[in-house]
Amino acid sequence: MRRLSTADPGFEAAFSELLDAPREDAARVDAAVAEIISVVRAGGDRALLDLTARFDGHAPETAEALRVQPAEIDAAVAGVAPDLLASLDLAAARIERFHAAQMPRDLALPDPAGLTLGMRWTALDAVGLYVPGGKAAYPSSVLMNAIPARVAGVRRVAMCVPTPGGVLNPLVLAAARRAGVDEVWRVGGAQAIAALAWGTESIAPVDRIVGPGNAYVAEAKRQVFGRVGIDSIAGPSEVVVLADAANDPRHVALDLLAQAEHDEAAQAILITDAPAFADAAASAVEDSLRGLARRAIAGESWRRHGAVVVVRDWDEAAALTDRLAPEHLQVMVADPAALFARVRHAGAAFLGRWCPEALGDYTAGPNHVLPTGRTARFASGLSVFDMLKRTTWVEASEAGLAAIGPAAVALAEAEGLGAHAASVSARLR
Amino acid sequence: MRRLSTADPGFEAAFSELLDAPREDAARVDAAVAEIISVVRAGGDRALLDLTARFDGHAPETAEALRVQPAEIDAAVAGVAPDLLASLDLAAARIERFHAAQMPRDLALPDPAGLTLGMRWTALDAVGLYVPGGKAAYPSSVLMNAIPARVAGVRRVAMCVPTPGGVLNPLVLAAARRAGVDEVWRVGGAQAIAALAWGTESIAPVDRIVGPGNAYVAEAKRQVFGRVGIDSIAGPSEVVVLADAANDPRHVALDLLAQAEHDEAAQAILITDAPAFADAAASAVEDSLRGLARRAIAGESWRRHGAVVVVRDWDEAAALTDRLAPEHLQVMVADPAALFARVRHAGAAFLGRWCPEALGDYTAGPNHVLPTGRTARFASGLSVFDMLKRTTWVEASEAGLAAIGPAAVALAEAEGLGAHAASVSARLR
């Protein structure tokens, strides 16, 4: 854990180092992924069966067996504790409500020149959802990825999830059902991305692929980008907590550790204006670590990437936060909305002392799929906007064409595009 | 040119072939581009100067000379004919007005459980605009790429344009000035994308790069994706014209040729319900071709990729249009709005007999940077949304936490994330 203070002469160098320190080795898997995609394009279902046997250690015999059957989902849901299903329902209902409120309106703009200009939003036809398997198979992520598609009106939501050894998490299936996923395929890795992008005999191709994954999945998404849409490439997670001395240091410590426990590459940063509170929080982190089941992971993350930064004032804190552009931002000061208004770059913000980021991971309502690794400078969390596209339109009358046509002709001629010019001038009297 | 009819028994096979026919060879330039990016990252301005001398055939001596100076822009603008500047102004004003109308509103959603959920839009800090040089240096594209950034509130807009032999198009500079571009750099190719993404001593890095380019530029954008945002990878352009027999076939022919004259890989498709009109339009294309300065390019595009499809009714036409998901769609029937409402996938639509697509290229107002090559299934034209990002936020009171916290604890425990659960439960009484 780094301890920094903006009052120290070496601060800028140390903070820059914190900003630029790589947290993950970028595995070079380009060639392996290109090979897998090419094998799936050529071999279809047969290739999926072979690759699944090879990578996931279970060997379905037919393509039909790659699909999780409705009866299997029924059985899985029946085995989930009712209070857990109720929690899933509460989360799903709140996520639905928030994403429904995001839905944008169409635009129709009458124009003084006699035209009407517009913009229309329509849903994608089909979306593929990648869900990681093994330790990172999170039912909450199924809700967060599938519900925006359903709310936006996507007709078909297909989910791929690797099942190492053939085992599936029942709560993941319950979440898929609750979120309205249409198809669940036990296929993972780059082969799942290839199947969703290009289609096989069994799996129809989709128009966009969302959801996190390992280095192979990320590279596969990069390689199929253009054929289909993708969401941003997920990197290691991070939180910045802005907290004053009026907070309980134990709460802040748990908030930092909730980020750190995700994986060793996660990053948790506390920024405070109170040196004594910085000490108390750092000490509370050590105390809380001892009681955590995931203390090995969280401890490693905190030691390698954690930081406590003491600032002279909250303007400094806002400026540092913008340089970090964190995925998650907690604002725990007397007037959190005012401080949040001074920050430009963050994926999601949690305002006040009663709003730990973990609420947002599960039940608050906004999406927890968020831009990581400083990409909140330009990227946004998953939303209905990822499941929609826009068509702009123009309607022109003869008078409208007469008003703006001659300028179009002049510009087309200047660009040397004679048919463009002629298509307008032929209609002008 | 293919002539198809949905009444023919071979239609489905012929239409599928039309859909899948490659229009461009995908040049494999991955390794060359990776090398250029690595050279620019290591060498900065010096590398840019070397690469510019090598690829663009002119050798600026200092990095300062890579920047187009305000006096050069003044001189260029002074040399442009006043009526052409007036046309540029008319176009810019209309593009500004339409994009201003696109600006989304923030969301603040009070919640029955005692929380407030919100979504805030903020502009990117810095955007890089790539403008192709040579024959494809279009001033209209400078307006279309830069104005959405300015309207959205982007603080810094930097433009890179290759200048083969050192020559710059004066109207491109006039458009850059009119659109409010802050910096113009005479740098092109993959080296420009590398400089915008990673920065050099002279060129500060940006957060997102937009604008079309050749295969090297497209691959470079793909490789820097993640470090910065990018727009979609532009492919060859296309138009679908839905036209009934009440149209003047000469108008329709010019509309098809306006697409075809872009380049040999462009595609123009007429869909009509009237066989005799199909013949008349095809014949008018041949007539009009003879008078075009770009008849070689347009003729090649029309012969290789053009098509005339006769349908039995407009429902068929709408369904075929969705399969084509064209960049541009002209709807020239008695009730164009009703037919447009039955089409789901198109980048931009032009409604009515007085609305050639070329209006939209220049002066209508909506953006002409649009999704090509069937990507309108999932992608949208350039807009203010490309220049903004969203931050969602949650504000919770103690009562709000009490209402939704226990479900979050249950889900966190089910996912094995103990610190997540503890960060919530520690705050519950």
Side-chain angles (χ1 to χ4, degrees), chain B residues 37-362:
Chain B
I37 292 176
S38 136
V39 163
V40 172
R41 282 186 64 180
D45 285 343
R46 188 65 254 162
L48 283 188
L49 291 168
D50 293 346
L51 290 162
T52 300
R54 186 166 132 211
F55 290 119
D56 292 345
H58 69 106
E61 298 203 347
T62 64
E64 190 50 27
L66 287 175
R67 182 159 181 172
V68 179
Q69 302 300 319
E72 295 177 79
I73 303 180
D74 292 342
V77 174
V80 175
D83 67 321
L84 208 47
L85 285 181
S87 297
L88 204 64
D89 271 341
L90 182 147
R94 293 183 57 87
I95 297 165
E96 280 163 357
R97 180 168 180 269
F98 182 76
H99 288 77
Q102 282 181 335
M103 285 294 285
R105 284 200 207 133
D106 289 351
L107 189 67
L109 191 66
D111 182 296
L115 299 91
T116 309
L117 310 179
M119 182 170 74
R120 187 183 78 171
W121 296 86
T122 44
L124 276 60
D125 283 348
V127 166
L129 161 55
Y130 189 84
V131 176
K135 64 171 180 174
Y138 292 144
S140 59
S141 292
V142 174
L143 299 183
M144 292 291 183
N145 279 279
I147 288 174
R150 275 287 163 251
V151 168
V154 171
R155 299 174 175 201
R156 172 177 163 251
V157 179
M159 170 175 144
C160 283
V161 54
T163 54
V167 179
L168 253 169
N169 178 339
L171 200 55
V172 163
L173 291 180
R177 169 151 302 169
R178 176 61 182 81
V181 170
D182 298 299
E183 306 162 11
V184 180
W185 300 92
R186 45 182 120 237
V187 182
Q191 58 272 26
I193 304 301
L196 290 170
W198 290 97
T200 68
E201 302 91 322
S202 297
I203 306 181
V206 301
D207 299 306
R208 188 179 176 98
I209 301 174
V210 299
N214 63 17
Y216 287 83
V217 170
E219 174 60 26
K221 284 165 68 181
R222 194 187 295 267
Q223 290 190 19
V224 300
F225 172 55
R227 165 84 192 177
V228 298
I230 61 170
D231 59 352
S232 53
I233 308 282
S237 197
E238 68 262 338
V239 72
V240 166
V241 179
L242 306 179
D244 62 21
N247 288 285
D248 184 332
R250 291 168 304 175
H251 293 174
V252 168
L254 287 166
D255 297 345
L256 295 167
L257 289 169
Q259 197 61 44
E261 74 174 340
H262 272 296
D263 67 77
E264 295 84 350
Q267 182 165 55
I269 298 176
L270 167 64
I271 301 182
T272 180
D273 63 344
F277 183 78
D279 295 334
S283 159
V285 166
E286 299 303 330
D287 289 347
S288 295
L289 254 176
R290 283 193 283 276
L292 288 186
R294 294 169 70 90
R295 60 183 166 272
I297 293 170
E300 183 74 5
S301 155
W302 180 245
R303 277 186 295 278
R304 282 171 52 189
H305 306 297
V308 175
V309 182
V310 176
V311 291
R312 282 167 291 206
D313 58 48
W314 293 108
D315 280 334
E316 276 188 352
L320 296 179
T321 302
D322 275 338
R323 290 174 67 188
L324 291 161
E327 182 190 14
H328 306 105
L329 175 67
Q330 285 188 211
V331 188
M332 304 171 67
V333 298
D335 186 350
L339 180 50
F340 174 52
R342 281 139 79 191
V343 172
R344 294 198 308 283
H345 308 311
F350 303 88
L351 309 183
R353 311 190 195 279
W354 303 98
C355 200
E357 184 272 323
L359 269 194
D361 283 337
Y362 297 107

Side-chain angles (χ1 to χ4, degrees), chain A residues 336-358:
Chain A
L339 180 50
F340 173 52
R342 280 139 79 190
V343 172
R344 293 197 307 282
H345 307 312
F350 304 88
L351 308 183
R353 309 189 196 282
W354 302 99
C355 200
E357 184 271 324

Side-chain angles (χ1 to χ4, degrees), chain A residues 94 111 120 125 140 207 255 258 261 343-346 349 351 377 380 389-392 394 415 420 427, chain B residues 94 111 120 125 140 207 255 258 261 343-346 349 351 377 380 389-391 394 415 420 427:
Chain A
R94 293 183 56 86
D111 181 295
R120 187 184 77 172
D125 282 349
S140 58
D207 299 306
D255 297 344
E261 75 175 341
V343 172
R344 293 197 307 282
H345 307 312
L351 308 183
R377 291 174 293 121
S380 306
K389 68 309 193 277
R390 301 177 298 276
T391 304
T392 54
V394 180
E415 292 185 354
H420 283 66
R427 288 170 165 100
Chain B
R94 293 183 57 87
D111 182 296
R120 187 183 78 171
D125 283 348
S140 59
D207 299 306
D255 297 345
E261 74 174 340
V343 172
R344 294 198 308 283
H345 308 311
L351 309 183
R377 291 173 293 123
S380 307
K389 69 295 192 295
R390 301 177 298 274
T391 304
V394 180
E415 292 186 355
H420 283 65
R427 288 171 166 99

Side-chain angles (χ1 to χ4, degrees), chain A residues 209-231:
Chain A
I209 302 174
V210 299
N214 64 16
Y216 287 82
V217 170
E219 175 60 25
K221 283 164 68 180
R222 195 188 293 268
Q223 290 189 19
V224 300
F225 171 54
R227 166 84 192 175
V228 297
I230 61 170
D231 60 350

Side-chain angles (χ1 to χ4, degrees), chain A residues 156-182:
Chain A
R156 171 176 165 250
V157 179
M159 169 174 144
C160 283
V161 55
T163 55
V167 179
L168 253 169
N169 178 339
L171 200 54
V172 163
L173 290 181
R177 170 152 301 173
R178 175 61 181 81
V181 169
D182 298 298

Side-chain angles (χ1 to χ4, degrees), chain A residues 19-418:
Chain A
L19 265 184
D20 294 335
R23 281 148 59 201
E24 272 188 332
D25 293 331
R28 293 309 303 254
V29 295
D30 317 22
V33 165
E35 171 66 17
I36 291 170
I37 293 175
S38 136
V39 164
V40 172
R41 282 185 64 182
D45 285 343
R46 189 65 254 161
L48 282 188
L49 292 168
D50 293 345
L51 290 163
T52 299
R54 184 165 136 211
F55 290 120
D56 292 345
H58 69 108
E61 298 203 348
T62 63
E64 190 49 26
L66 286 176
R67 181 158 180 174
V68 180
Q69 302 299 321
E72 295 178 79
I73 303 180
D74 292 340
V77 173
V80 175
D83 67 321
L84 208 47
L85 284 181
S87 297
L88 205 64
D89 271 342
L90 182 145
R94 293 183 56 86
I95 296 165
E96 280 162 356
R97 181 169 180 271
F98 182 75
H99 287 79
Q102 282 181 336
M103 285 293 285
R105 284 201 208 134
D106 289 351
L107 188 67
L109 190 67
D111 181 295
L115 299 91
T116 309
L117 309 180
M119 182 169 76
R120 187 184 77 172
W121 295 87
T122 44
L124 276 58
D125 282 349
V127 167
L129 162 54
Y130 188 85
V131 176
K135 65 171 181 174
Y138 292 144
S140 58
S141 292
V142 174
L143 299 183
M144 292 291 182
N145 279 280
I147 289 175
R150 275 285 163 252
V151 168
V154 171
R155 299 174 175 201
R156 171 176 165 250
V157 179
M159 169 174 144
C160 283
V161 55
T163 55
V167 179
L168 253 169
N169 178 339
L171 200 54
V172 163
L173 290 181
R177 170 152 301 173
R178 175 61 181 81
V181 169
D182 298 298
E183 306 161 13
V184 181
W185 300 91
R186 44 182 123 237
V187 182
Q191 58 272 28
I193 304 300
L196 290 170
W198 290 96
T200 67
E201 301 90 323
S202 298
I203 306 182
V206 301
D207 299 306
R208 189 180 175 99
I209 302 174
V210 299
N214 64 16
Y216 287 82
V217 170
E219 175 60 25
K221 283 164 68 180
R222 195 188 293 268
Q223 290 189 19
V224 300
F225 171 54
R227 166 84 192 175
V228 297
I230 61 170
D231 60 350
S232 53
I233 308 284
S237 197
E238 66 261 338
V239 72
V240 166
V241 179
L242 306 179
D244 63 21
N247 288 286
D248 184 333
R250 292 169 303 178
H251 293 175
V252 168
L254 287 166
D255 297 344
L256 296 167
L257 288 169
Q259 196 60 45
E261 75 175 341
H262 271 295
D263 67 77
E264 296 85 349
Q267 182 165 55
I269 298 175
L270 168 64
I271 301 182
T272 179
D273 63 342
F277 182 79
D279 294 334
S283 160
V285 166
E286 298 303 331
D287 288 347
S288 295
L289 253 176
R290 282 192 284 274
L292 287 186
R294 294 169 71 90
R295 59 184 167 272
I297 293 170
E300 182 73 5
S301 156
W302 179 245
R303 278 186 296 279
R304 280 170 54 188
H305 305 299
V308 175
V309 182
V310 177
V311 291
R312 284 166 291 206
D313 58 50
W314 293 110
D315 280 334
E316 275 189 353
L320 295 179
T321 302
D322 275 337
R323 290 175 66 186
L324 291 161
E327 182 190 13
H328 305 106
L329 174 67
Q330 285 188 213
V331 187
M332 303 171 67
V333 298
D335 186 350
L339 180 50
F340 173 52
R342 280 139 79 190
V343 172
R344 293 197 307 282
H345 307 312
F350 304 88
L351 308 183
R353 309 189 196 282
W354 302 99
C355 200
E357 184 271 324
L359 271 194
D361 282 337
Y362 297 107
T363 52
N367 214 284
H368 79 196
V369 179
L370 293 165
T372 58
R374 302 191 60 219
T375 60
R377 291 174 293 121
F378 58 84
S380 306
L382 198 71
S383 72
V384 297
F385 294 96
D386 295 284
M387 308 299 173
L388 299 166
K389 68 309 193 277
R390 301 177 298 276
T391 304
T392 54
W393 55 270
V394 180
E395 185 155 29
S397 62
E398 191 174 359
L401 180 78
I404 67 167
V409 172
L411 291 167
E413 285 175 349
E415 292 185 354
L417 296 175

